[in-house]
Amino acid sequence: MILCIETATGVCSVALCDDNSVISVIEAPAGMSHSSSLTVIIQELLSGTSIEARQLDAVSVSKGPGSYTGLRIGVSVAKGISYGA
């Protein structure tokens, strides 16, 4: 399972993918509130699919181009999940 994080654009989104398909996607409402919504929608996605962070094989983050602040938020959350799991 791969947790995919998109924070480079105005719409913050996360997706859960396996080897062949996208299992689930959640998008936060448009706007630049990535710092307050990213971890909430990740928790919602994982809870809704009954997946725990330790079951993830990888966490991916978009690399842009896009908002530098948004990219930092995405990378920081990905590192936190990876280290914590």
Side-chain angles (χ1 to χ4, degrees):
M1 294 289 192
I2 301 172
L3 177 66
C4 306
I5 299 172
E6 170 58 69
T7 56
T9 67
V11 177
C12 180
S13 63
V14 294
L16 188 63
C17 302
D18 64 13
D19 292 337
N20 301 312
S21 62
V22 176
I23 296 169
S24 183
V25 176
I26 297 179
E27 292 181 349
M32 302 307 264
S33 61
H34 297 5
S35 61
S36 62
S37 61
L38 182 58
T39 55
V40 173
I41 63 173
I42 289 172
Q43 180 61 41
E44 184 180 327
L45 178 85
L46 295 177
S47 295
T49 56
S50 299
I51 299 291
E52 295 182 11
R54 62 184 171 83
Q55 294 175 285
L56 297 171
D57 296 312
V59 179
S60 68
V61 182
S62 62
K63 67 176 188 172
S67 161
Y68 177 70
T69 300
L71 294 169
R72 287 186 318 161
I73 291 165
V75 169
S76 297
V77 169
K79 285 176 65 175
I81 291 170
S82 298
Y83 290 139

